[in-house]
Amino acid sequence: MGMSTFRTAVVRTPGGPDSIEIIDVPVVEPGPGKVRVEIAAAAINPVDLGVAGGRFHAMGLVNQPEYTGLGWDFAGTVVATGRGVDLAVGTRIAGMVAGFDRDFGTYAEQLVVSAADLAVVPDGLNLVAASTLPLNGLAAAQIVDLLGDAPADDNRLLVTGAAGAVGGFLTPLAQDRGWHVTGLARAEDEEFVRSLGADFTTHAEPGWDAVADGAALQGRGLALVRDGGTFVGVQPSAEPATERGISVHAVVAHPDGPRLGDLLARAASGELPVRVHAVLPLDQVADAHRAVAKGGMRGRYVLKP
Ligand SMILES: NC(=O)c1ccc[n+]([C@@H]2O[C@H](COP(=O)([O-])OP(=O)(O)OC[C@H]3O[C@@H](n4cnc5c(N)ncnc54)[C@H](OP(=O)(O)O)[C@@H]3O)[C@@H](O)[C@H]2O)c1
C-alpha cells in the first residue's frame, strides 16, 4: 500500500453525511497534458451536499456503477506531470473539477487533472483560502459573462445571496462591467455587502433591470425582474420558465485556468473576498457536511486530506 494507493471520500448509495465513506484507490500516472496534484485543501460547497444526499442521482445525472466521487474545489501542489506540461513539480496550484457523473472528486489526497484547468496560486494566498475560490469565483465570472456589459440607462442589478460564496465574488465582478449592484442579503451581512461597493437591501421590491440569483430564489427571483429584463440563475436543471419578455439564463460553471489565475490574483490583492469558516481533516467529512447543512455560516468549511 503506501505509495500505490490514496484515500478519497465517496458515496455508494447516497443518503446524506452518514453515507460518505473513505476508501483507498490506486494512484494513477498523469497522461499527456495532465498533472497529478497532492491536494492540500478541498472546500465544501452546497452542491456536494446535494451529491451526497442523492439529489443528482435522483435526477438521472449520475450513473456510476460502484461509487460517486465528492468535491469540486481543490488547492494543492503538483507532484507529477504528463507529456507537454510546463508546470514544475512543487508548484502551488488550484482548480475545480466539473460534472456530477464521476468516480473521483477533490475530497481526496490526490487528483489527476488537465493542466489547462489549473492556475498557479500567487504568493500571499494560502492554499486553504485558495481552495474556496475556483468553483464559485468561476461561476460568478461566468454569470457576469451571461449578464454582459450593463446598458447605460438600465444598469440596476440585484444580486440575491450577495453575502454567499457566489454572491460575494459576483458583487465586485459585475461592477467591472458597469452594473450598479444592490446586494440582497440578511440584515447581519450589511457591512460585508457594502464593503464590496454595493448598495444593500434585506427586502427587494420588483423592477430590477437584471437579477443574478446567487440565493437560488428561482421563481421568486424572476418575479423581481422588470418586463424585458434579464435573469441569471444558478440551478441549470431547475430554471424558472421565462415570462414578461425576460431573458432567462443559467450558469454552468466550467474550469478555465487563465480566468482562474486572474481571479486568484484579485483574491490575493484583497479585491475578491476569500472566507474560511473552519478547516477539518478529511476523516471528519461527515461532521463537516452535517455542520454545513445547518446553514448560516459565512465562509467555507475546508477539508484537509
Ligand atoms: N450552476 C453552477 O455552476 C453553480 C456554481 C456554483 C454555485 N451554484 C449554486 O449557487 C447557489 C449559491 O451557492 P453558494 O456557494 O454561494 O451558497 P451560499 O454560500 O450558501 O450562499 C447563499 C447565500 O444566500 C443567502 N440567502 C438565501 N436565501 C436568502 C434570502 N431569501 N434573502 C437573503 N439572502 C438569502 C444565504 O444566507 P443564509 O445562509 O443566511 O441562508 C447565503 O448567504 C447554490 O444553489 C449553489 O449550488 C451553482
Side-chain angles (χ1 to χ4, degrees), residues 1-10 21-29 36-39 67 69-70 79 103-112 282 305:
M1 307 289 279
M3 293 298 284
S4 60
T5 66
F6 67 93
R7 297 166 73 242
T8 185
V10 302
E21 282 176 63
I22 296 184
I23 63 172
D24 287 297
V25 296
V27 168
V28 239
E29 291 311 318
R36 191 166 76 232
V37 176
E38 183 178 87
I39 296 176
Y67 52 78
L70 292 172
V79 289
D103 63 2
F104 65 93
T106 65
Y107 293 8
E109 290 174 328
Q110 296 190 359
L111 182 69
V112 171
L282 181 60

PDB file of all heavy atoms in Angstrom, residues 1-10 21-29 36-39 67 69-70 79 103-112 282 305:
ATOM      1  N   MET A   1       0.871  -1.189   0.000  1.00  0.00           N
ATOM      2  CA  MET A   1       0.000   0.000   0.000  1.00  0.00           C
ATOM      3  C   MET A   1       0.903   1.233   0.000  1.00  0.00           C
ATOM      4  O   MET A   1       1.839   1.307  -0.779  1.00  0.00           O
ATOM      5  CB  MET A   1      -0.925  -0.013   1.234  1.00  0.00           C
ATOM      6  CG  MET A   1      -1.728  -1.310   1.385  1.00  0.00           C
ATOM      7  SD  MET A   1      -3.039  -1.500   0.157  1.00  0.00           S
ATOM      8  CE  MET A   1      -4.290  -0.463   0.903  1.00  0.00           C
ATOM      9  N   GLY A   2       0.663   2.187   0.877  1.00  0.00           N
ATOM     10  CA  GLY A   2       1.538   3.355   0.954  1.00  0.00           C
ATOM     11  C   GLY A   2       1.559   4.158  -0.325  1.00  0.00           C
ATOM     12  O   GLY A   2       0.618   4.878  -0.632  1.00  0.00           O
ATOM     13  N   MET A   3       2.633   3.982  -1.116  1.00  0.00           N
ATOM     14  CA  MET A   3       2.828   4.753  -2.331  1.00  0.00           C
ATOM     15  C   MET A   3       1.802   4.439  -3.425  1.00  0.00           C
ATOM     16  O   MET A   3       1.572   5.226  -4.310  1.00  0.00           O
ATOM     17  CB  MET A   3       4.227   4.475  -2.906  1.00  0.00           C
ATOM     18  CG  MET A   3       5.347   4.994  -2.040  1.00  0.00           C
ATOM     19  SD  MET A   3       5.293   6.770  -1.841  1.00  0.00           S
ATOM     20  CE  MET A   3       5.940   7.273  -3.449  1.00  0.00           C
ATOM     21  N   SER A   4       1.196   3.246  -3.399  1.00  0.00           N
ATOM     22  CA  SER A   4       0.423   2.812  -4.556  1.00  0.00           C
ATOM     23  C   SER A   4      -1.066   3.137  -4.476  1.00  0.00           C
ATOM     24  O   SER A   4      -1.789   2.958  -5.437  1.00  0.00           O
ATOM     25  CB  SER A   4       0.628   1.320  -4.784  1.00  0.00           C
ATOM     26  OG  SER A   4       0.187   0.629  -3.628  1.00  0.00           O
ATOM     27  N   THR A   5      -1.551   3.559  -3.315  1.00  0.00           N
ATOM     28  CA  THR A   5      -2.963   3.942  -3.221  1.00  0.00           C
ATOM     29  C   THR A   5      -3.080   5.270  -2.493  1.00  0.00           C
ATOM     30  O   THR A   5      -2.133   5.736  -1.853  1.00  0.00           O
ATOM     31  CB  THR A   5      -3.809   2.904  -2.438  1.00  0.00           C
ATOM     32  OG1 THR A   5      -3.380   2.881  -1.073  1.00  0.00           O
ATOM     33  CG2 THR A   5      -3.690   1.510  -3.040  1.00  0.00           C
ATOM     34  N   PHE A   6      -4.251   5.895  -2.617  1.00  0.00           N
ATOM     35  CA  PHE A   6      -4.523   7.122  -1.842  1.00  0.00           C
ATOM     36  C   PHE A   6      -5.967   7.097  -1.361  1.00  0.00           C
ATOM     37  O   PHE A   6      -6.789   6.320  -1.866  1.00  0.00           O
ATOM     38  CB  PHE A   6      -4.204   8.367  -2.659  1.00  0.00           C
ATOM     39  CG  PHE A   6      -5.103   8.594  -3.844  1.00  0.00           C
ATOM     40  CD1 PHE A   6      -6.239   9.402  -3.731  1.00  0.00           C
ATOM     41  CD2 PHE A   6      -4.828   8.019  -5.079  1.00  0.00           C
ATOM     42  CE1 PHE A   6      -7.065   9.624  -4.827  1.00  0.00           C
ATOM     43  CE2 PHE A   6      -5.650   8.242  -6.178  1.00  0.00           C
ATOM     44  CZ  PHE A   6      -6.774   9.051  -6.053  1.00  0.00           C
ATOM     45  N   ARG A   7      -6.261   7.949  -0.395  1.00  0.00           N
ATOM     46  CA  ARG A   7      -7.579   7.956   0.242  1.00  0.00           C
ATOM     47  C   ARG A   7      -8.477   9.008  -0.401  1.00  0.00           C
ATOM     48  O   ARG A   7      -8.034  10.107  -0.727  1.00  0.00           O
ATOM     49  CB  ARG A   7      -7.437   8.227   1.741  1.00  0.00           C
ATOM     50  CG  ARG A   7      -6.646   7.128   2.451  1.00  0.00           C
ATOM     51  CD  ARG A   7      -6.204   7.529   3.838  1.00  0.00           C
ATOM     52  NE  ARG A   7      -7.330   7.546   4.764  1.00  0.00           N
ATOM     53  CZ  ARG A   7      -7.743   8.618   5.396  1.00  0.00           C
ATOM     54  NH1 ARG A   7      -7.134   9.779   5.238  1.00  0.00           N
ATOM     55  NH2 ARG A   7      -8.774   8.555   6.220  1.00  0.00           N
ATOM     56  N   THR A   8      -9.749   8.635  -0.554  1.00  0.00           N
ATOM     57  CA  THR A   8     -10.710   9.565  -1.139  1.00  0.00           C
ATOM     58  C   THR A   8     -12.093   9.298  -0.561  1.00  0.00           C
ATOM     59  O   THR A   8     -12.383   8.165  -0.159  1.00  0.00           O
ATOM     60  CB  THR A   8     -10.717   9.434  -2.682  1.00  0.00           C
ATOM     61  OG1 THR A   8     -11.588  10.427  -3.228  1.00  0.00           O
ATOM     62  CG2 THR A   8     -11.186   8.055  -3.137  1.00  0.00           C
ATOM     63  N   ALA A   9     -12.927  10.338  -0.508  1.00  0.00           N
ATOM     64  CA  ALA A   9     -14.284  10.203   0.037  1.00  0.00           C
ATOM     65  C   ALA A   9     -15.271  10.003  -1.106  1.00  0.00           C
ATOM     66  O   ALA A   9     -15.225  10.727  -2.095  1.00  0.00           O
ATOM     67  CB  ALA A   9     -14.652  11.437   0.847  1.00  0.00           C
ATOM     68  N   VAL A  10     -16.160   9.018  -0.947  1.00  0.00           N
ATOM     69  CA  VAL A  10     -17.142   8.692  -1.989  1.00  0.00           C
ATOM     70  C   VAL A  10     -18.485   8.350  -1.339  1.00  0.00           C
ATOM     71  O   VAL A  10     -18.567   8.170  -0.122  1.00  0.00           O
ATOM     72  CB  VAL A  10     -16.690   7.470  -2.832  1.00  0.00           C
ATOM     73  CG1 VAL A  10     -15.331   7.734  -3.484  1.00  0.00           C
ATOM     74  CG2 VAL A  10     -16.642   6.188  -1.994  1.00  0.00           C
ATOM     75  N   GLU A  21     -18.166   7.493   2.619  1.00  0.00           N
ATOM     76  CA  GLU A  21     -17.122   6.529   3.018  1.00  0.00           C
ATOM     77  C   GLU A  21     -15.783   7.028   2.542  1.00  0.00           C
ATOM     78  O   GLU A  21     -15.700   7.633   1.481  1.00  0.00           O
ATOM     79  CB  GLU A  21     -17.305   5.215   2.254  1.00  0.00           C
ATOM     80  CG  GLU A  21     -18.357   4.302   2.723  1.00  0.00           C
ATOM     81  CD  GLU A  21     -18.417   3.117   1.753  1.00  0.00           C
ATOM     82  OE1 GLU A  21     -17.415   2.366   1.650  1.00  0.00           O
ATOM     83  OE2 GLU A  21     -19.448   2.973   1.093  1.00  0.00           O
ATOM     84  N   ILE A  22     -14.734   6.691   3.288  1.00  0.00           N
ATOM     85  CA  ILE A  22     -13.378   6.961   2.805  1.00  0.00           C
ATOM     86  C   ILE A  22     -12.768   5.641   2.371  1.00  0.00           C
ATOM     87  O   ILE A  22     -12.750   4.675   3.145  1.00  0.00           O
ATOM     88  CB  ILE A  22     -12.547   7.671   3.876  1.00  0.00           C
ATOM     89  CG1 ILE A  22     -13.210   9.039   4.141  1.00  0.00           C
ATOM     90  CG2 ILE A  22     -11.099   7.835   3.425  1.00  0.00           C
ATOM     91  CD1 ILE A  22     -12.502   9.932   5.077  1.00  0.00           C
ATOM     92  N   ILE A  23     -12.328   5.572   1.110  1.00  0.00           N
ATOM     93  CA  ILE A  23     -11.792   4.330   0.548  1.00  0.00           C
ATOM     94  C   ILE A  23     -10.381   4.577   0.004  1.00  0.00           C
ATOM     95  O   ILE A  23      -9.975   5.721  -0.188  1.00  0.00           O
ATOM     96  CB  ILE A  23     -12.706   3.772  -0.573  1.00  0.00           C
ATOM     97  CG1 ILE A  23     -12.779   4.748  -1.765  1.00  0.00           C
ATOM     98  CG2 ILE A  23     -14.097   3.467  -0.036  1.00  0.00           C
ATOM     99  CD1 ILE A  23     -13.499   4.177  -2.984  1.00  0.00           C
ATOM    100  N   ASP A  24      -9.663   3.486  -0.242  1.00  0.00           N
ATOM    101  CA  ASP A  24      -8.338   3.560  -0.880  1.00  0.00           C
ATOM    102  C   ASP A  24      -8.490   3.219  -2.346  1.00  0.00           C
ATOM    103  O   ASP A  24      -9.148   2.229  -2.675  1.00  0.00           O
ATOM    104  CB  ASP A  24      -7.374   2.554  -0.227  1.00  0.00           C
ATOM    105  CG  ASP A  24      -6.955   3.007   1.150  1.00  0.00           C
ATOM    106  OD1 ASP A  24      -6.314   4.065   1.243  1.00  0.00           O
ATOM    107  OD2 ASP A  24      -7.302   2.313   2.135  1.00  0.00           O
ATOM    108  N   VAL A  25      -7.907   4.018  -3.211  1.00  0.00           N
ATOM    109  CA  VAL A  25      -7.959   3.755  -4.656  1.00  0.00           C
ATOM    110  C   VAL A  25      -6.541   3.844  -5.219  1.00  0.00           C
ATOM    111  O   VAL A  25      -5.676   4.492  -4.626  1.00  0.00           O
ATOM    112  CB  VAL A  25      -8.913   4.732  -5.391  1.00  0.00           C
ATOM    113  CG1 VAL A  25     -10.354   4.547  -4.925  1.00  0.00           C
ATOM    114  CG2 VAL A  25      -8.475   6.176  -5.205  1.00  0.00           C
ATOM    115  N   PRO A  26      -6.314   3.207  -6.371  1.00  0.00           N
ATOM    116  CA  PRO A  26      -4.949   3.184  -6.922  1.00  0.00           C
ATOM    117  C   PRO A  26      -4.484   4.554  -7.420  1.00  0.00           C
ATOM    118  O   PRO A  26      -5.264   5.292  -8.019  1.00  0.00           O
ATOM    119  CB  PRO A  26      -5.054   2.221  -8.108  1.00  0.00           C
ATOM    120  CG  PRO A  26      -6.359   1.510  -7.964  1.00  0.00           C
ATOM    121  CD  PRO A  26      -7.246   2.382  -7.143  1.00  0.00           C
ATOM    122  N   VAL A  27      -3.224   4.837  -7.197  1.00  0.00           N
ATOM    123  CA  VAL A  27      -2.578   6.027  -7.754  1.00  0.00           C
ATOM    124  C   VAL A  27      -2.490   5.853  -9.271  1.00  0.00           C
ATOM    125  O   VAL A  27      -2.202   4.755  -9.751  1.00  0.00           O
ATOM    126  CB  VAL A  27      -1.164   6.190  -7.154  1.00  0.00           C
ATOM    127  CG1 VAL A  27      -0.336   7.223  -7.907  1.00  0.00           C
ATOM    128  CG2 VAL A  27      -1.258   6.535  -5.673  1.00  0.00           C
ATOM    129  N   VAL A  28      -2.787   6.957 -10.015  1.00  0.00           N
ATOM    130  CA  VAL A  28      -2.639   6.895 -11.482  1.00  0.00           C
ATOM    131  C   VAL A  28      -1.583   7.900 -11.919  1.00  0.00           C
ATOM    132  O   VAL A  28      -1.487   8.997 -11.338  1.00  0.00           O
ATOM    133  CB  VAL A  28      -3.948   7.276 -12.229  1.00  0.00           C
ATOM    134  CG1 VAL A  28      -4.427   6.145 -13.104  1.00  0.00           C
ATOM    135  CG2 VAL A  28      -5.030   7.771 -11.312  1.00  0.00           C
ATOM    136  N   GLU A  29      -0.842   7.516 -12.974  1.00  0.00           N
ATOM    137  CA  GLU A  29       0.145   8.446 -13.529  1.00  0.00           C
ATOM    138  C   GLU A  29      -0.569   9.407 -14.481  1.00  0.00           C
ATOM    139  O   GLU A  29      -1.488   9.007 -15.188  1.00  0.00           O
ATOM    140  CB  GLU A  29       1.238   7.667 -14.273  1.00  0.00           C
ATOM    141  CG  GLU A  29       2.136   6.851 -13.354  1.00  0.00           C
ATOM    142  CD  GLU A  29       2.659   7.644 -12.162  1.00  0.00           C
ATOM    143  OE1 GLU A  29       3.048   8.820 -12.343  1.00  0.00           O
ATOM    144  OE2 GLU A  29       2.661   7.111 -11.036  1.00  0.00           O
ATOM    145  N   ARG A  36      -0.615  15.325 -11.818  1.00  0.00           N
ATOM    146  CA  ARG A  36      -1.090  14.751 -10.554  1.00  0.00           C
ATOM    147  C   ARG A  36      -0.839  15.760  -9.445  1.00  0.00           C
ATOM    148  O   ARG A  36       0.270  16.291  -9.312  1.00  0.00           O
ATOM    149  CB  ARG A  36      -0.432  13.419 -10.234  1.00  0.00           C
ATOM    150  CG  ARG A  36      -1.137  12.723  -9.066  1.00  0.00           C
ATOM    151  CD  ARG A  36      -0.756  11.269  -8.907  1.00  0.00           C
ATOM    152  NE  ARG A  36       0.545  11.137  -8.309  1.00  0.00           N
ATOM    153  CZ  ARG A  36       1.535  10.411  -8.809  1.00  0.00           C
ATOM    154  NH1 ARG A  36       1.374   9.746  -9.932  1.00  0.00           N
ATOM    155  NH2 ARG A  36       2.684  10.357  -8.182  1.00  0.00           N
ATOM    156  N   VAL A  37      -1.885  16.028  -8.668  1.00  0.00           N
ATOM    157  CA  VAL A  37      -1.846  17.035  -7.614  1.00  0.00           C
ATOM    158  C   VAL A  37      -1.935  16.341  -6.266  1.00  0.00           C
ATOM    159  O   VAL A  37      -2.762  15.439  -6.089  1.00  0.00           O
ATOM    160  CB  VAL A  37      -3.055  17.999  -7.763  1.00  0.00           C
ATOM    161  CG1 VAL A  37      -3.105  19.004  -6.619  1.00  0.00           C
ATOM    162  CG2 VAL A  37      -3.018  18.712  -9.111  1.00  0.00           C
ATOM    163  N   GLU A  38      -1.104  16.762  -5.340  1.00  0.00           N
ATOM    164  CA  GLU A  38      -1.306  16.377  -3.941  1.00  0.00           C
ATOM    165  C   GLU A  38      -2.199  17.458  -3.343  1.00  0.00           C
ATOM    166  O   GLU A  38      -1.793  18.632  -3.283  1.00  0.00           O
ATOM    167  CB  GLU A  38       0.043  16.328  -3.220  1.00  0.00           C
ATOM    168  CG  GLU A  38      -0.054  15.874  -1.787  1.00  0.00           C
ATOM    169  CD  GLU A  38       1.335  15.807  -1.168  1.00  0.00           C
ATOM    170  OE1 GLU A  38       1.779  16.845  -0.655  1.00  0.00           O
ATOM    171  OE2 GLU A  38       1.966  14.749  -1.242  1.00  0.00           O
ATOM    172  N   ILE A  39      -3.403  17.069  -2.954  1.00  0.00           N
ATOM    173  CA  ILE A  39      -4.397  18.059  -2.512  1.00  0.00           C
ATOM    174  C   ILE A  39      -4.096  18.483  -1.072  1.00  0.00           C
ATOM    175  O   ILE A  39      -3.912  17.640  -0.189  1.00  0.00           O
ATOM    176  CB  ILE A  39      -5.819  17.492  -2.657  1.00  0.00           C
ATOM    177  CG1 ILE A  39      -6.119  17.245  -4.155  1.00  0.00           C
ATOM    178  CG2 ILE A  39      -6.853  18.431  -2.047  1.00  0.00           C
ATOM    179  CD1 ILE A  39      -7.454  16.600  -4.431  1.00  0.00           C
ATOM    180  N   TYR A  67     -19.350   3.741  -7.203  1.00  0.00           N
ATOM    181  CA  TYR A  67     -19.411   4.843  -6.236  1.00  0.00           C
ATOM    182  C   TYR A  67     -19.208   6.153  -6.972  1.00  0.00           C
ATOM    183  O   TYR A  67     -18.718   6.180  -8.110  1.00  0.00           O
ATOM    184  CB  TYR A  67     -18.371   4.668  -5.118  1.00  0.00           C
ATOM    185  CG  TYR A  67     -16.959   4.428  -5.605  1.00  0.00           C
ATOM    186  CD1 TYR A  67     -16.179   5.483  -6.072  1.00  0.00           C
ATOM    187  CD2 TYR A  67     -16.402   3.152  -5.604  1.00  0.00           C
ATOM    188  CE1 TYR A  67     -14.882   5.280  -6.524  1.00  0.00           C
ATOM    189  CE2 TYR A  67     -15.111   2.931  -6.061  1.00  0.00           C
ATOM    190  CZ  TYR A  67     -14.366   4.004  -6.524  1.00  0.00           C
ATOM    191  OH  TYR A  67     -13.089   3.806  -6.967  1.00  0.00           O
ATOM    192  N   GLY A  69     -17.643  10.136  -6.714  1.00  0.00           N
ATOM    193  CA  GLY A  69     -16.679  10.993  -6.021  1.00  0.00           C
ATOM    194  C   GLY A  69     -17.335  12.266  -5.519  1.00  0.00           C
ATOM    195  O   GLY A  69     -18.336  12.733  -6.076  1.00  0.00           O
ATOM    196  N   LEU A  70     -16.764  12.829  -4.459  1.00  0.00           N
ATOM    197  CA  LEU A  70     -17.278  14.070  -3.870  1.00  0.00           C
ATOM    198  C   LEU A  70     -16.247  15.183  -4.005  1.00  0.00           C
ATOM    199  O   LEU A  70     -15.043  14.934  -3.893  1.00  0.00           O
ATOM    200  CB  LEU A  70     -17.578  13.867  -2.380  1.00  0.00           C
ATOM    201  CG  LEU A  70     -18.731  12.935  -2.035  1.00  0.00           C
ATOM    202  CD1 LEU A  70     -18.760  12.703  -0.526  1.00  0.00           C
ATOM    203  CD2 LEU A  70     -20.057  13.519  -2.515  1.00  0.00           C
ATOM    204  N   VAL A  79       2.684  17.146  -8.124  1.00  0.00           N
ATOM    205  CA  VAL A  79       3.652  16.104  -7.746  1.00  0.00           C
ATOM    206  C   VAL A  79       4.148  15.282  -8.930  1.00  0.00           C
ATOM    207  O   VAL A  79       5.157  14.592  -8.819  1.00  0.00           O
ATOM    208  CB  VAL A  79       3.132  15.169  -6.624  1.00  0.00           C
ATOM    209  CG1 VAL A  79       3.088  15.902  -5.301  1.00  0.00           C
ATOM    210  CG2 VAL A  79       1.781  14.568  -6.957  1.00  0.00           C
ATOM    211  N   ASP A 103     -16.340   9.125 -10.775  1.00  0.00           N
ATOM    212  CA  ASP A 103     -15.988   8.272  -9.632  1.00  0.00           C
ATOM    213  C   ASP A 103     -14.825   8.859  -8.831  1.00  0.00           C
ATOM    214  O   ASP A 103     -14.269   8.193  -7.968  1.00  0.00           O
ATOM    215  CB  ASP A 103     -15.665   6.840 -10.105  1.00  0.00           C
ATOM    216  CG  ASP A 103     -14.450   6.797 -11.019  1.00  0.00           C
ATOM    217  OD1 ASP A 103     -13.821   7.848 -11.260  1.00  0.00           O
ATOM    218  OD2 ASP A 103     -14.129   5.689 -11.514  1.00  0.00           O
ATOM    219  N   PHE A 104     -14.459  10.109  -9.142  1.00  0.00           N
ATOM    220  CA  PHE A 104     -13.373  10.759  -8.388  1.00  0.00           C
ATOM    221  C   PHE A 104     -13.840  12.159  -8.015  1.00  0.00           C
ATOM    222  O   PHE A 104     -14.760  12.708  -8.625  1.00  0.00           O
ATOM    223  CB  PHE A 104     -12.109  10.849  -9.252  1.00  0.00           C
ATOM    224  CG  PHE A 104     -12.293  11.754 -10.452  1.00  0.00           C
ATOM    225  CD1 PHE A 104     -11.940  13.098 -10.395  1.00  0.00           C
ATOM    226  CD2 PHE A 104     -12.864  11.260 -11.616  1.00  0.00           C
ATOM    227  CE1 PHE A 104     -12.142  13.937 -11.486  1.00  0.00           C
ATOM    228  CE2 PHE A 104     -13.072  12.093 -12.712  1.00  0.00           C
ATOM    229  CZ  PHE A 104     -12.709  13.437 -12.649  1.00  0.00           C
ATOM    230  N   GLY A 105     -13.183  12.731  -7.011  1.00  0.00           N
ATOM    231  CA  GLY A 105     -13.505  14.087  -6.610  1.00  0.00           C
ATOM    232  C   GLY A 105     -12.327  14.702  -5.892  1.00  0.00           C
ATOM    233  O   GLY A 105     -11.243  14.107  -5.838  1.00  0.00           O
ATOM    234  N   THR A 106     -12.549  15.880  -5.350  1.00  0.00           N
ATOM    235  CA  THR A 106     -11.447  16.618  -4.723  1.00  0.00           C
ATOM    236  C   THR A 106     -11.339  16.353  -3.227  1.00  0.00           C
ATOM    237  O   THR A 106     -10.380  16.798  -2.606  1.00  0.00           O
ATOM    238  CB  THR A 106     -11.597  18.129  -4.967  1.00  0.00           C
ATOM    239  OG1 THR A 106     -12.771  18.592  -4.306  1.00  0.00           O
ATOM    240  CG2 THR A 106     -11.684  18.429  -6.456  1.00  0.00           C
ATOM    241  N   TYR A 107     -12.309  15.636  -2.643  1.00  0.00           N
ATOM    242  CA  TYR A 107     -12.182  15.208  -1.249  1.00  0.00           C
ATOM    243  C   TYR A 107     -11.244  13.992  -1.265  1.00  0.00           C
ATOM    244  O   TYR A 107     -11.689  12.846  -1.142  1.00  0.00           O
ATOM    245  CB  TYR A 107     -13.509  14.759  -0.663  1.00  0.00           C
ATOM    246  CG  TYR A 107     -14.605  15.772  -0.458  1.00  0.00           C
ATOM    247  CD1 TYR A 107     -14.548  17.077  -0.918  1.00  0.00           C
ATOM    248  CD2 TYR A 107     -15.754  15.391   0.267  1.00  0.00           C
ATOM    249  CE1 TYR A 107     -15.597  17.962  -0.694  1.00  0.00           C
ATOM    250  CE2 TYR A 107     -16.792  16.264   0.498  1.00  0.00           C
ATOM    251  CZ  TYR A 107     -16.721  17.545   0.012  1.00  0.00           C
ATOM    252  OH  TYR A 107     -17.764  18.397   0.241  1.00  0.00           O
ATOM    253  N   ALA A 108      -9.982  14.233  -1.453  1.00  0.00           N
ATOM    254  CA  ALA A 108      -9.045  13.142  -1.725  1.00  0.00           C
ATOM    255  C   ALA A 108      -7.631  13.613  -1.441  1.00  0.00           C
ATOM    256  O   ALA A 108      -7.354  14.820  -1.432  1.00  0.00           O
ATOM    257  CB  ALA A 108      -9.152  12.724  -3.192  1.00  0.00           C
ATOM    258  N   GLU A 109      -6.729  12.649  -1.259  1.00  0.00           N
ATOM    259  CA  GLU A 109      -5.319  13.006  -1.089  1.00  0.00           C
ATOM    260  C   GLU A 109      -4.693  13.417  -2.405  1.00  0.00           C
ATOM    261  O   GLU A 109      -3.721  14.189  -2.419  1.00  0.00           O
ATOM    262  CB  GLU A 109      -4.550  11.825  -0.492  1.00  0.00           C
ATOM    263  CG  GLU A 109      -4.939  11.565   0.958  1.00  0.00           C
ATOM    264  CD  GLU A 109      -4.299  10.307   1.523  1.00  0.00           C
ATOM    265  OE1 GLU A 109      -4.072   9.342   0.783  1.00  0.00           O
ATOM    266  OE2 GLU A 109      -4.046  10.311   2.743  1.00  0.00           O
ATOM    267  N   GLN A 110      -5.207  12.876  -3.521  1.00  0.00           N
ATOM    268  CA  GLN A 110      -4.617  13.144  -4.841  1.00  0.00           C
ATOM    269  C   GLN A 110      -5.700  13.308  -5.889  1.00  0.00           C
ATOM    270  O   GLN A 110      -6.828  12.859  -5.713  1.00  0.00           O
ATOM    271  CB  GLN A 110      -3.747  11.963  -5.276  1.00  0.00           C
ATOM    272  CG  GLN A 110      -2.566  11.724  -4.391  1.00  0.00           C
ATOM    273  CD  GLN A 110      -1.624  10.708  -5.015  1.00  0.00           C
ATOM    274  OE1 GLN A 110      -1.870  10.181  -6.094  1.00  0.00           O
ATOM    275  NE2 GLN A 110      -0.519  10.453  -4.335  1.00  0.00           N
ATOM    276  N   LEU A 111      -5.296  13.893  -7.010  1.00  0.00           N
ATOM    277  CA  LEU A 111      -6.213  14.094  -8.128  1.00  0.00           C
ATOM    278  C   LEU A 111      -5.370  14.201  -9.389  1.00  0.00           C
ATOM    279  O   LEU A 111      -4.305  14.820  -9.369  1.00  0.00           O
ATOM    280  CB  LEU A 111      -6.965  15.410  -7.896  1.00  0.00           C
ATOM    281  CG  LEU A 111      -8.030  15.834  -8.901  1.00  0.00           C
ATOM    282  CD1 LEU A 111      -9.242  14.910  -8.828  1.00  0.00           C
ATOM    283  CD2 LEU A 111      -8.473  17.280  -8.615  1.00  0.00           C
ATOM    284  N   VAL A 112      -5.823  13.599 -10.496  1.00  0.00           N
ATOM    285  CA  VAL A 112      -5.181  13.820 -11.798  1.00  0.00           C
ATOM    286  C   VAL A 112      -6.115  14.688 -12.620  1.00  0.00           C
ATOM    287  O   VAL A 112      -7.298  14.361 -12.782  1.00  0.00           O
ATOM    288  CB  VAL A 112      -4.885  12.484 -12.511  1.00  0.00           C
ATOM    289  CG1 VAL A 112      -4.425  12.735 -13.950  1.00  0.00           C
ATOM    290  CG2 VAL A 112      -3.805  11.713 -11.746  1.00  0.00           C
ATOM    291  N   LEU A 282      -9.934  15.336   6.542  1.00  0.00           N
ATOM    292  CA  LEU A 282     -10.800  14.555   5.643  1.00  0.00           C
ATOM    293  C   LEU A 282     -11.626  13.517   6.400  1.00  0.00           C
ATOM    294  O   LEU A 282     -12.788  13.281   6.058  1.00  0.00           O
ATOM    295  CB  LEU A 282      -9.938  13.887   4.566  1.00  0.00           C
ATOM    296  CG  LEU A 282     -10.666  13.035   3.520  1.00  0.00           C
ATOM    297  CD1 LEU A 282     -11.674  13.844   2.733  1.00  0.00           C
ATOM    298  CD2 LEU A 282      -9.658  12.374   2.579  1.00  0.00           C
ATOM    299  N   PRO A 305      -6.901  16.817   3.480  1.00  0.00           N
ATOM    300  CA  PRO A 305      -6.668  15.371   3.379  1.00  0.00           C
ATOM    301  C   PRO A 305      -5.431  14.943   4.190  1.00  0.00           C
ATOM    302  O   PRO A 305      -4.530  15.742   4.408  1.00  0.00           O
ATOM    303  CB  PRO A 305      -6.428  15.130   1.904  1.00  0.00           C
ATOM    304  CG  PRO A 305      -6.839  16.368   1.202  1.00  0.00           C
ATOM    305  CD  PRO A 305      -6.774  17.488   2.184  1.00  0.00           C
TER     306      PRO A 305
END
